[in-house]
Each structure stands twice: as structure tokens, then as C-alpha cells.
Amino acid sequence: MTPSWRKPVGMLGILLLILLWCVAITSLSGVVGGWHWTAQLVFYLFTGLIWITPLKPVLRWMEVGHWR
């Protein structure tokens, strides 16, 4: 069985997604820093988990070659 090019491309895509997500969230730190600590906690918990949502189709594409 020959190695698939989709796995390295998918891994790079996932790393790029994580990098862009981190930059986007940290760029909001000036605004979020003025919030009450409980609001900050909810915001960072939510944004820390929501980036996982687009990974399922990417991982499926890496394995089988199609999105659905």
C-alpha cells in the first residue's frame, strides 16, 4: 500500500488551523481582559473547545479521501 499525500497535507492544515485560531483568540485578549473573571473563564473554555469542531471532516478526508 502506498502512502497517501492527504495525511501530511491534513496534518499541516490542522496545525495551520490551530495557529490561526490561537492568533485570533489572543488578539481579543485586550478586550476580554477587561471582563469579569467568570466571563473570561467561560470565553476561554468555549473558544478552547470550539476549534475541535472542524477537525472531524478533515480527519475523515485524511483517512478516506472525501468529506462525507
Side-chain angles (χ1 to χ4, degrees):
M1 193 166 157
T2 59
S4 172
W5 59 270
R6 290 187 309 267
K7 288 189 180 187
V9 170
M11 286 187 279
L12 289 174
I14 290 170
L15 290 174
L16 182 63
L17 170 73
I18 293 170
L19 176 68
L20 292 174
W21 190 255
C22 289
V23 169
I25 299 306
T26 55
S27 69
L28 296 173
S29 66
V31 175
V32 177
W35 297 356
H36 191 269
W37 71 269
T38 54
Q40 290 182 37
L41 176 68
V42 170
F43 174 78
Y44 286 119
L45 280 175
F46 179 74
T47 57
L49 294 174
I50 197 68
W51 69 271
I52 297 171
T53 305
L55 289 184
K56 186 174 181 181
V58 173
L59 292 171
R60 185 178 301 126
W61 173 77
M62 286 169 59
E63 286 297 319
V64 296
H66 52 83
W67 297 102
R68 294 185 185 170

